[in-house]
Amino acid sequence: MQQRYKNLKIAQKGVLISLCAYIILSLLKVIIGQLSHSETLLADGFNNSTDIFSSCAVMVGLRLATRPPDEHHQYGHWKAETIATFLTSLIMLLVGLSVLYTSIRNILAGNHESPDIYALFVGIFSGSLMYGVYFHNAHQAKKINSQSLLAIAKDCRSDAWTSFGTSVTIFAANFNMAWLDGVVAFLIGLLILKTAYDIFSASAFSLSDGFDDDLLEKYVADVEKIPGVELVHNIQGRSYGANVFIDIIIWVDPQMTVRKSHHITEKIESLLQRDYGVFDTDVHVEPWDVDYEPQQPNELNSH
């Protein structure tokens, strides 16, 4: 348990690094975008501004998740991280719609002013910086198995691609292709909406106690290899932030002693923790029903 709280602290440091980078880049892009008359750079700056709110929301969620269980939250406060991510998706949705509206209005109005070439270097610098942040946070996320930090890392990578694309667009706009600036701003708006939808879907799935059936099938396959386990009668999984809780019912020989069956439950807990990072497993032991017809994998329960 203590290690998981330490991992949350590490994740907070990674999010803080991203937050500082987003603040610097969003200010730089908005200011230079205005001075250089680049709609694409402005849109990219607004994109980074949503990342500021996203990072702050995730930071608050991680902070709340470090609180220990109490009488009202007996499973802890791990879901605060997921709630923060859900709210972030709503913020990104609003900003994405705003960018789309502005870009469409400018395209229809025929505002095709060529941006100054020095705006190109801002995009190159931003893309390089965000790729550096991505590699750092992705490495840390995999090390501590933090889904929220990994999501932040992937967002940094997307921002890096967007910044490089912005540079290419600004370069092209200075060669009699000024119309491309507004078009790419429109595409960036779509990218923001796509990212918002993906984050919304994933967080809503987790908040509604959805769980990956493929993972449940892997758990069942490995647990049934443990000597003494006749069959996995039922299994349920749910996520609390970066943590996974598993409820599993196994069937064993009706003549097995309590001591031996308890030893089997410890093996199951150890297996899921070692191979899948599941630290909370509730194993219920029942006598084997030889007349039972096993469920198909798609009939396993996921909550």
Side-chain angles (χ1 to χ4, degrees):
M1 180 66 73
Q2 291 300 320
Q3 183 59 47
R4 282 185 287 175
Y5 284 120
K6 290 180 180 179
N7 289 346
L8 286 176
K9 296 291 185 181
I10 295 174
Q12 287 179 28
K13 292 180 181 179
V15 175
L16 182 60
I17 292 174
S18 299
L19 176 60
C20 292
Y22 283 136
I23 291 174
I24 294 172
L25 294 182
S26 62
L27 289 174
L28 181 64
K29 290 176 182 178
V30 169
I31 293 173
I32 300 300
Q34 290 281 3
L35 295 176
S36 63
H37 313 292
S38 174
E39 292 180 32
T40 306
L41 194 60
L42 276 173
D44 197 9
F46 288 131
N47 181 24
N48 287 151
S49 70
T50 66
D51 296 320
I52 293 175
F53 292 109
S54 301
S55 298
C56 287
V58 172
M59 181 69 75
V60 171
L62 288 170
R63 183 74 175 178
L64 292 175
T66 60
R67 293 183 177 181
D70 54 40
E71 61 176 320
H72 299 296
H73 304 85
Q74 297 183 9
Y75 287 99
H77 298 77
W78 303 104
K79 278 198 173 183
E81 180 180 351
T82 309
I83 294 173
T85 306
F86 178 81
L87 295 176
T88 296
S89 69
L90 300 181
I91 296 173
M92 294 182 68
L93 176 64
L94 293 176
V95 174
L97 291 173
S98 176
V99 171
L100 278 183
Y101 171 77
T102 302
S103 62
I104 292 174
R105 184 184 62 186
N106 290 333
I107 291 173
L108 294 178
N111 297 332
H112 301 323
E113 186 174 5
S114 296
D116 296 331
I117 193 65
Y118 63 81
L120 177 148
F121 300 103
V122 176
I124 295 176
F125 169 75
S126 300
S128 301
L129 178 61
M130 293 316 299
Y131 242 106
V133 176
Y134 158 70
F135 281 120
H136 174 271
N137 283 347
H139 173 73
Q140 290 294 93
K142 292 177 181 178
K143 183 178 179 181
I144 65 176
N145 192 31
S146 172
Q147 295 301 314
S148 62
L149 185 57
L150 185 59
I152 289 290
K154 290 181 178 180
D155 192 26
C156 290
R157 182 179 60 184
S158 297
D159 290 326
W161 291 341
T162 302
S163 294
F164 288 137
T166 298
S167 297
V168 173
T169 302
I170 294 172
F171 181 79
N174 279 271
F175 289 88
N176 299 320
M177 299 178 66
W179 56 269
L180 190 60
D181 192 45
V183 172
V184 172
F186 175 81
L187 295 177
I188 290 176
L190 292 179
L191 176 63
I192 296 174
L193 292 179
K194 173 62 167 57
T195 305
Y197 173 77
D198 290 341
I199 294 175
F200 175 86
S201 299
S203 56
F205 183 71
S206 179
L207 287 173
S208 61
D209 284 341
F211 199 80
D212 188 351
D213 283 341
D214 291 337
L215 276 178
L216 291 180
E217 292 178 22
K218 291 179 180 179
Y219 298 162
V220 169
D222 284 351
V223 168
E224 289 185 341
K225 293 178 183 178
I226 296 177
V229 177
E230 301 292 347
L231 188 73
V232 172
H233 175 52
N234 190 33
I235 185 170
Q236 296 176 329
R238 57 195 185 279
S239 299
Y240 286 81
N243 304 283
V244 174
F245 288 71
I246 296 296
D247 296 307
I248 183 170
I249 300 176
I250 61 170
W251 279 354
V252 301
D253 186 342
Q255 305 302 319
M256 181 179 293
T257 64
V258 173
R259 182 183 298 275
K260 189 172 181 180
S261 63
H262 176 69
H263 184 58
I264 290 176
T265 64
E266 291 180 333
K267 285 186 177 181
I268 294 174
E269 293 171 358
S270 177
L271 166 72
L272 295 179
Q273 179 177 338
R274 181 185 68 249
D275 295 349
Y276 299 101
V278 178
F279 286 88
D280 295 278
T281 304
D282 186 11
V283 184
H284 181 69
V285 179
E286 291 185 352
W288 182 29
D289 182 356
V290 295
D291 296 324
Y292 175 76
E293 295 184 3
Q295 292 176 302
Q296 296 299 317
N298 60 3
E299 295 176 340
L300 297 175
N301 292 317
S302 57
H303 297 284

